[in-house]
Structure formats: structure tokens, C-alpha cells
Amino acid sequence: MKVFLSTNQFWIFLNENENLSFFADSFQLGAMTLPLKVYLNKRDDNVGGGMAEGNINVGIYTGYKFGWKKYVKLKNEKDYRIYNVAFSSNVIVGLGKVTIDDKNSVQHLQTWKVDVPIFN
């Protein structure tokens, strides 16, 4: 059935106040970046409250998307209404950078500020 729908064109004319729904699913794979991190606590004494920080994060995601497409023909409208409902379940894997400093580590006699790559 999927092969037929993907390789052929067809038309279904709906009468007034009729609707027709189709189930659709797909596999998805892509790259994602999150260049902004938001902290609830302040990391800088010069900034009040939380703060945002720009960083480089790169990840890939894969998942499964499924949903329904519904066509509706209403009495007083010329064109069909199209409703899309979709759900997605994904896995995200990526690399990022976290700065280890005295704000987010245990206090010792000497403190170093270093950047550590992390695996998300």
C-alpha cells in the first residue's frame, strides 16, 4: 500500500462536511546544534539571577515519527482544510563543552578554570 501511494497520483473528492484521514510514519535522522545554554543560578557575580551563555554543541538525532493527516471539506468553504497531528520519539547523542571553575566544582586550595568536552 505504501508503494502504491508513493508512486501514484490520485484524487478523492469529498462531499460537504466529509472528512478523510491517513496514517503516516517515517524514520528521521539529522544533525542538531544547541548554541545557547541557560543557567538558573548565576555564574558571574556581575549578573543578577540566572544567565545564558553561548557555546558550541553538536549532536545527531535519530527517531521515529508517526501521525495522521486529515482532510476536511466544510460546507461554506471552497478549499479543503488539512490537519496534521504527529508524534516523534528520538534519541539525541552529542558533544558539548562545560567550563569547570570555582562556581561549579568543589573548593580546593587552588582553583583552575578549564574547558572539558562532555558527551551528552
Side-chain angles (χ1 to χ4, degrees), residues 36-111:
L36 185 66
K37 291 183 181 178
V38 177
Y39 298 96
L40 299 178
N41 296 328
K42 64 181 182 176
R43 292 179 51 85
D44 186 353
D45 291 332
N46 298 324
V47 178
M51 64 180 286
E53 184 178 279
N55 260 327
I56 297 173
N57 295 292
V58 178
I60 60 170
Y61 68 90
T62 183
Y64 176 71
K65 183 171 84 170
F66 61 95
W68 296 266
K69 184 174 267 195
K70 183 176 184 179
Y71 297 87
V72 178
K73 176 64 173 124
L74 296 177
K75 184 177 180 177
N76 296 323
E77 293 185 4
K78 178 183 174 185
D79 295 325
Y80 293 93
R81 287 189 182 194
I82 301 172
Y83 297 97
N84 293 305
V85 176
F87 300 96
S88 178
S89 177
N90 297 292
V91 174
I92 302 170
V93 178
L95 295 173
K97 180 183 83 163
V98 173
T99 301
I100 305 294
D101 57 16
D102 60 345
K103 301 287 186 203
N104 62 1
S105 61
V106 178
Q107 296 290 329
H108 290 289
L109 296 175
Q110 189 174 11
T111 302

